[in-house]
Structures are given as structure tokens and as C-alpha cells.
Amino acid sequence: MLRTAGKELALAPLQDWGEETEDGAVYSVSLRRQRSQRLSPREGPRDSQAPSANADTFLHYRTSKVRVLRAAHLERLVRELVSVDREQDPGFVPAFLATHQAFVPTARVLGLLLPPPPPPLPPWVEIKKTEVQDLSFNKNLRAVVSVLGSWLQDHPQDFWDPPAHSDLDIVRTFLGWAAPLGAEALEAEKLLRDFLEEAEQEQEEEEQPQALAGPPGTARTPSPDSPESYLEGEEGLVQEGPELLDFSVDEVAEQLTLIDVELFSRVRPCECLGSVWSQRDRPGAAGIAPTVRATVTQFNMVTGCVLGSVLGAPGLAAPQRAQRLEKWIRIAQHCRELRNFSSLRAILSALQSNPIYRLKSSWGAVSRELLSTFRKLSQIFSDENNHLSSREILSQEEATEGPQEEDTPPGSLPSKLPSGPVPYLGTFLTDLVMLDTALPDMLEGNLINFEKRRKEWEILARIQQLQKRCRSYCLSPCPPILAALRAQRQLSEEQSYRVSRVIEPPAASCPSSPRVRRRISLTKRLSAKLSRERGSSPGGSPGDPSSPTSRLCFSSSMSPGSPPSSPRMRDPPPGSPPASPGPQSPSSKLPVALTLSCPRIPLVGQQGSEARVIRVSIDNDHGNLYRSILLTSQDKTPSVVQRALQKHNVAQSWAHNYQLFQVLPGDRELLIPDNANVFYAMSPAAPGDFMLRQKEQARHTTSVPPT
């Protein structure tokens, strides 16, 4: 116990102590100091409510040991759900429930968690139901029921498995004898009813298009009941009625926010995990992360609406096209006022894309005031600081107290306090993908790295908190605007650039376009950040415009190496004329898909070493499927091959059968020797894309020197 006289000392409330290993588990140990009481050595204990004027008052601190589980076998992790001290480690249970699907299915957890039912009572024994409950309801059983209650309430979709919902049926059976009268059993029954009603509703929606289908050649009329019905139309639909930009700025921004709120509220946080989202392009993985894919589709739809409305009429004069640009800038500004960062980012991405930003005559006719607004909005998602501005603004918006559902009396007017915010989901997806890349799933001794899951849960918990805040929006659907969104002409990447070249041929430069700066590749940006943390200079020049572009695409339909990234805006020096972005290459394409930036992630276990993220694919029949791994200056070829095979779910015992090649520009490859240091053997001027090829297939491949 620590005592100080006269004044309080600034003591750290929690101090790292070390690690402890116990029964196949690793704990991190900290010492926590808590002030326990205030005493005077002369007067002894006295009334806590009486004021003390004695200068010799002593402060007493109690030091306690806090253990937090860092890694363990699966069985030990499940046991910890029941035995963990929630006062010492309050984050273990929510972190496990939020991230367990990354390393174990729900059915397996239930099999380890739920105890067997008690033996049946003899028929001649008569005992009340409540007494049976009391006899079997011991401390361990209460802990299991408590975990199930949190699980059912916070992650109900974990039990969605139509048509039988077998996992939920197992839980209902257990609660039926363990806590038949408890709130957990009632929650399980309610969840089953909700699942059955949802299945019936989906079946009715599938049958509805056939019932509403008219004669051949006629368009199907969607139901005006939900916003999504206006976004699921057939391609090539001929627009009838008013165009999207015929409506007011406020109306369009509010409807975009309404849709974004609906979709973001339905996002399952576990689908955002890097190990889940990175599997979206695998063969047969079309059903992975459907709620996240829906937000991607909406984002790309908004981007397509901007492109279609600005470029869809090639015969417009520059002042008329400038009016459309100005209106989209105003819509983006109102999205910012509504705290809708998702549609804000989508609109800015389209306006900053190659086919639009190169239109010098149109940008030259935009008012200076709106150009200034556009630049300020673009700085929110600047790539130069890893979207630091957007992260800080989002944190500030979260700190602003908005209306809470439980605080609003029934029938009262909605609060004037701000709602939301609706975040740009790509920021969270980037952080989770990079966490999955930088931190291993398993540690020495085949222990599950639960410290990684805690870091993931910190991000998922923030998503859940934002989802609760989004419930405070009070917006109503406007069917005509939603219909105009659905009917807006969509242009492909090649079509957009082709139309842009028709509007303004590429012969002249673009002095009137907003000042831009090319993106830095994801690989180089992460390498630079890791190098700066170690006081070393990153390899290559991040600002070199000839640097290869390696993008992490948000779009589920885009593959690695898709079109080059769009430029991003920054303010020019005061009084200087806007700079030219330079002539555009005919091969430049529009990045309709959402692009993600890399977060700042410390390199674990590597001091004073350089590192970069590389992408490795396997030469097989499954297509160009890349997996990202962290490459350090200490990694030799065998370890890189083994980690790449692990990422691709291929047996690592076959590592000696593979050779590693770096993919070079011009359809060339660089063979990395079997015992080489990959970090120094690779070509630094080429993208960090590699391929594994079986040695039998690689016999005809020759090594080429890097250029």
C-alpha cells in the first residue's frame, strides 16, 4: 500500500508487469493502482462527509494484479467465457463474440460451451419446475446463460442458418432446461420467430416480381415501400419522369443519407473483419459479406450517378456542364452538413475522377466560391495524411451528443441535435484488412492470437456504436427521387473516359481543372509509415509520379491491378494559378470502385527493420487471387512461401514444391532464388506483386534482371 503526505502524486493507473503462462494460455499481467481511502494519522478514521482541513492527510492506494488473456487454445478460450473475471477483463466476452467467426464457427463454440442436460428424473418423483431449475442452476450454469444472453442480443445473425436454424435450436433446447423462465429463453424464442418471419418475407419478395411482371417488353414497376426497391432495377432502363438533378439539393442529399443509414444500420460488423472481407473474390464466395457488399453497391451507384449526370449529355455547353458540377458540389456540402460521410466520399470520388477533372472548360466555368468549397471537402479524405482529417472529424462528430431513442418521449417532436454520423465504411475496412495482414492468427505453440482479436474488436465496437447513433435520423423516403436514382444512366469506366474525350479532346492541357496530386501506392505508403516509425528512410520516393500504383479496392467486383487511382485535391498556395494535372493517357480509366488507404500499424516484433506489404498469388486455375502479407528485411524465400501458402489455405508442407516470382511490367517475371532475402532480391521499382508457381511449371520460366 502506497502513502503520500501533503498532496497526491501522479501515478499511472495501470502499469505493465509482464506475462504469465498457465495451462496452455498466455496472460499479460499489469498492476492497477486504486485509491482506497483518505485517513489522518492523528485523528484516525472519521466521517467521510466531514471536510478535512488537516494538511497531513494521507492517501492510501491499493495495488492489485490484473491478468488479461493474450493467447490460448480454443478450448481454453471457450472456458474463459465462463470463468473470466469481468471486472478485471471486461472486454474478453464481447471481443470473443464479435470476432470468433474469424477462427471458429458458431456450432463449434456451442459444442464446447454448453454442458450436457441433466439426467431425467424418475417418473415417481414429483418436483416443481422452478425447483428443478434451482437444483441445476449452479454458478457455472448461470455464467453460460449470461454469455448466451449477450450473444443473442448483440450478434443474433450468428444463429441465422435457414431453414432449420440448427444452432439456434441447440441454444433453445439448452435454455429450455437451464433457464426456462429467464429473459434469455424468451429472447431465443423471439429470435426464432423473427427469423421465420424474415424468411417468409424474402419468399414473398421473390414471388412478387413474377406477380407484378407485365407483358413482354414492359418495365416492371417497383414497390414504393422501401428505398432499396428503387435501386434494384434492370440495366439499360429508359428514364421516365424528372431527372435526379431536377430535384433540390436538400432533397437529393437527404434521400442519399436515408439509403446510407438503412444500409449501414444493417451491416454485420463481423463481415468487416479482414479475414472475412479479404475472401470476397475467391471462387464460390459470392455470398460472403452481403451487408458490406450492399454498401459497396450503393457507393458505386452514387458515383455512377454523378458520372452519368455530368458526362451523359455530350452536347452540353461548358457553362451548362459547370452548373451540374456546381449542383453536385452543393449536394456534397449538404451531405457533410447531414454528417453523411459515405455519400460525401462517393460524390467527391466521382468529381475527382479522370473523366471529370480533365474537363478544363467546365471547371473553368465553376464559381470560385464552390471551387473553394470543393477543395475544402476534398481535404477531408486526403491521402497525404492517411485520411487523418476524416478520422479526426468523425471522432469529433461522435463526441457530439445526438438524440437518443430512449430520451425521446413518445409523440414528441424530433430533437434539433445532429443525428448520425454515417461513416465512410472504407476507413474501417482498411484498418481491419491491415490488422489481419500485419498480425498473425496463430502464435508459437499453436495458440490463437487473441490480442489480435481484441484490436479488431475495438474497431468493430466503434462500428456498432455508430450504428446505434444512426437510429436517431428522422428521414422519410421520397419515391420520385429514389426512382430517379434508380433510373439514372450509369456509364462504365471505358464509356466515361471515351465520352470525356469526345466532350474535350485530350490535345490541350487542363489549366482550369482543380489542383490535384496523384495517389501514392498503398505499398509505398505503408512502407514509408513503418520506416518512419523506426527512424529509417523508406525505399523509393513516395511522391514520384512514375511509382506503380497498388490499390486495395473496396469494390467486390474489382480485381487487383484494376484501373489507376483517381487524383485527390489539395489547396494551391494563395494567389497561385491552378496547376495542370498534365495530359491524360488514353489508357487511363475511371476508378468507380471505392479505394482504401492504409492505417498506421506498428510492426510487431521487428525493431529497426524495414518492411512493406506485398501481394502473392498462386498460379492455378482459380484466377489472379492475391493475398497480402507483411515482408520485412529479415524474411527469406522459404518463410515468405510458407506464409503465402498459409494465407491461401494451402498445406505448408508443400512449400518446397513452389518457387517465388515477382511480377514485372511488360509480362515479365523475376525469379527469387530459394534462399534469398526477398526484401533485397526483389525489384524496388516494380509493384509488390508476386506469384507462387510449382517447380514443375516453373522450369520454362527464366529469371530476368530488374530494370
Side-chain angles (χ1 to χ4, degrees):
M1 184 175 295
L2 180 65
R3 300 192 302 175
T4 63
K7 61 179 181 179
E8 297 186 23
L9 296 180
L11 296 176
L14 201 65
Q15 179 182 357
D16 292 336
W17 184 258
E19 290 185 353
E20 290 184 357
T21 302
E22 174 187 301
D23 190 20
V26 179
Y27 292 86
S28 62
V29 182
S30 304
L31 297 181
R32 175 181 295 165
R33 295 186 180 93
Q34 293 176 315
R35 192 172 65 183
S36 59
Q37 55 186 339
R38 187 181 294 261
L39 295 172
S40 171
R42 297 189 181 95
E43 301 178 8
R46 56 180 166 179
D47 187 3
S48 59
Q49 297 180 354
S52 174
N54 192 341
D56 295 331
T57 299
F58 279 68
L59 303 181
H60 289 243
Y61 287 85
R62 177 181 292 108
T63 302
S64 58
K65 185 174 74 170
V66 178
R67 298 203 317 169
V68 175
L69 187 63
R70 292 189 57 193
H73 294 293
L74 176 61
E75 292 77 6
R76 181 58 183 265
L77 287 176
V78 176
R79 272 205 319 271
E80 196 79 5
L81 288 173
V82 179
S83 61
V84 66
D85 186 345
R86 297 202 180 190
E87 292 185 359
Q88 282 203 354
D89 189 4
F92 177 80
V93 173
F96 182 95
L97 297 180
T99 63
H100 76 278
Q101 293 202 8
F103 56 91
V104 60
T106 298
R108 174 65 172 155
V109 177
L110 292 176
L112 296 172
L113 176 66
L114 302 184
L121 295 174
W124 59 83
V125 176
E126 295 183 1
I127 191 168
K128 296 182 180 179
K129 189 175 184 180
T130 55
E131 294 176 350
V132 174
Q133 181 183 6
D134 294 336
L135 290 175
S136 59
F137 208 73
N138 53 38
K139 180 179 179 181
N140 183 70
L141 210 56
R142 282 196 293 269
V144 174
V145 172
S146 176
V147 170
L148 289 177
S150 300
W151 200 348
L152 291 168
Q153 185 174 4
D154 297 336
H155 307 280
Q157 289 299 320
D158 288 352
F159 302 95
W160 171 264
D161 184 24
H165 304 292
S166 55
D167 292 339
L168 182 57
D169 188 61
I170 293 174
V171 172
R172 291 173 57 246
T173 301
F174 168 78
L175 294 175
W177 64 264
L181 304 179
E184 297 81 5
L186 298 178
E187 183 69 24
E189 296 296 336
K190 178 180 179 300
L191 184 59
L192 179 60
R193 291 194 300 270
D194 293 342
F195 282 170
L196 296 178
E197 291 176 1
E198 185 176 349
E200 293 177 0
Q201 184 177 1
E202 289 181 356
Q203 185 176 1
E204 292 177 358
E205 291 177 355
E206 292 177 357
E207 297 174 353
Q208 188 176 8
Q210 301 178 0
L212 296 178
T218 60
R220 175 174 57 87
T221 302
S223 171
D225 295 336
S226 62
E228 293 79 1
S229 62
Y230 290 94
L231 303 179
E232 300 175 354
E234 302 84 350
E235 296 184 1
L237 182 67
V238 178
Q239 181 171 351
E240 296 180 359
E243 295 184 1
L244 182 61
L245 293 187
D246 292 337
F247 298 94
S248 69
V249 169
D250 293 354
E251 290 175 329
V252 175
E254 288 175 1
Q255 294 305 299
L256 292 177
T257 302
L258 171 65
I259 299 173
D260 289 333
V261 168
E262 291 272 349
L263 295 177
F264 177 67
S265 299
R266 298 177 185 177
V267 168
R268 294 183 62 194
C270 65
E271 294 180 6
C272 300
L273 289 170
S275 57
V276 176
W277 179 240
S278 61
Q279 303 293 318
R280 65 192 182 279
D281 293 326
R282 296 189 63 179
I288 288 181
T291 61
V292 178
R293 288 178 187 266
T295 64
V296 176
T297 301
Q298 167 65 10
F299 182 97
N300 292 335
M301 188 276 298
V302 174
T303 305
C305 285
V306 178
L307 290 164
S309 62
V310 174
L311 302 175
L316 286 179
Q320 295 173 308
R321 202 175 307 279
Q323 292 178 359
R324 299 194 173 198
L325 292 173
E326 290 178 344
K327 187 152 190 178
W328 277 115
I329 295 173
R330 291 191 180 95
I331 294 173
Q333 173 64 21
H334 194 58
C335 286
R336 173 65 185 91
E337 295 170 358
L338 291 170
R339 312 207 295 179
N340 178 5
F341 292 93
S342 182
S343 286
L344 171 62
R345 177 65 191 274
I347 295 172
L348 294 178
S349 296
L351 294 178
Q352 295 168 351
S353 63
N354 290 347
I356 289 183
Y357 91 91
R358 64 175 296 278
L359 301 177
K360 60 173 185 176
S361 299
S362 301
W363 283 107
V366 175
S367 68
R368 291 186 178 182
E369 179 183 358
L370 286 176
L371 276 179
S372 176
T373 300
F374 182 39
R375 292 190 179 99
K376 291 178 182 178
L377 292 174
S378 299
Q379 287 178 346
I380 296 176
F381 300 102
S382 171
D383 289 328
E384 298 178 8
N385 57 6
N386 185 30
H387 293 191
L388 182 60
S389 297
S390 66
R391 296 172 188 270
E392 292 177 347
I393 291 175
L394 185 60
S395 298
Q396 295 171 2
E397 298 288 351
E398 288 182 80
T400 303
E401 289 296 333
Q404 303 296 326
E405 288 182 334
E406 57 271 16
D407 298 337
T408 304
S412 62
L413 294 176
S415 173
K416 296 299 183 182
L417 294 174
S419 303
V422 184
Y424 163 57
L425 191 60
T427 302
F428 298 109
L429 293 176
T430 305
D431 293 349
L432 289 166
V433 167
M434 297 308 297
L435 269 177
D436 184 60
T437 301
L439 302 180
D441 293 333
M442 308 297 293
L443 299 180
E444 185 178 357
N446 201 29
L447 301 180
I448 296 174
N449 183 6
F450 196 74
E451 187 67 23
K452 172 180 180 177
R453 306 307 168 190
R454 291 181 187 272
K455 295 181 181 296
E456 291 176 331
W457 173 70
E458 291 176 2
I459 301 176
L460 298 183
R462 192 178 178 195
I463 294 176
Q464 288 180 319
Q465 184 63 29
L466 287 169
Q467 288 177 320
K468 294 179 181 178
R469 294 288 299 270
C470 281
R471 298 172 186 170
S472 60
Y473 278 99
C474 186
L475 300 171
S476 301
C478 180
I481 299 179
L482 297 173
L485 276 171
R486 174 178 175 267
Q488 177 64 53
R489 181 185 178 189
Q490 303 281 322
L491 299 178
S492 67
E493 300 167 14
E494 295 184 0
Q495 288 174 336
S496 299
Y497 191 76
R498 192 184 313 121
V499 172
S500 177
R501 288 166 59 88
V502 170
I503 295 172
E504 292 189 26
S509 61
C510 308
S512 299
S513 298
R515 185 181 178 93
V516 298
R517 178 172 181 175
R518 293 283 182 185
R519 284 177 182 260
I520 303 171
S521 72
L522 173 65
T523 300
K524 285 186 176 293
R525 280 190 276 117
L526 180 59
S527 301
K529 291 179 183 297
L530 294 175
S531 299
R532 284 198 300 270
E533 292 178 0
R534 286 156 181 75
S536 59
S537 60
S541 174
D544 185 2
S546 63
S547 299
T549 300
S550 174
R551 303 196 309 136
L552 180 62
C553 264
F554 186 16
S555 171
S556 59
S557 60
M558 301 289 288
S559 60
S562 286
S565 55
S566 335
R568 287 293 177 262
M569 312 297 298
R570 66 174 182 180
D571 274 328
S576 62
S580 168
Q584 298 302 309
S585 168
S587 61
S588 297
K589 295 181 181 179
L590 162 72
V592 177
L594 195 56
T595 308
L596 304 182
S597 62
C598 67
R600 183 183 184 91
I601 296 179
L603 184 60
V604 180
Q606 298 286 343
Q607 298 295 331
S609 64
E610 295 182 0
R612 66 180 295 181
V613 172
I614 64 173
R615 304 187 309 166
V616 186
S617 66
I618 297 181
D619 189 5
N620 52 27
D621 297 331
H622 299 301
N624 251 358
L625 185 65
Y626 283 91
R627 287 289 172 265
S628 298
I629 62 174
L630 194 66
L631 176 68
T632 72
S633 59
Q634 308 299 320
D635 288 333
K636 299 295 184 69
T637 304
S639 65
V640 174
V641 172
Q642 288 181 355
R643 283 190 288 138
L645 291 176
Q646 182 182 8
K647 282 282 186 177
H648 284 275
N649 298 320
V650 177
Q652 300 178 46
S653 58
W654 294 354
H656 63 279
N657 294 331
Y658 285 88
Q659 285 184 310
L660 183 65
F661 294 83
Q662 184 182 9
V663 180
L664 302 178
D667 295 330
R668 297 181 302 159
E669 295 177 347
L670 173 64
L671 173 62
I672 306 298
D674 288 342
N675 293 318
N677 185 308
V678 180
F679 188 87
Y680 296 107
M682 64 182 294
S683 171
D689 292 342
F690 289 78
M691 177 175 293
L692 289 177
R693 184 178 291 116
Q694 292 190 7
K695 293 183 178 180
E696 292 77 7
Q697 302 175 1
R699 288 183 299 177
H700 303 292
T701 303
T702 58
S703 175
V704 298
T707 56

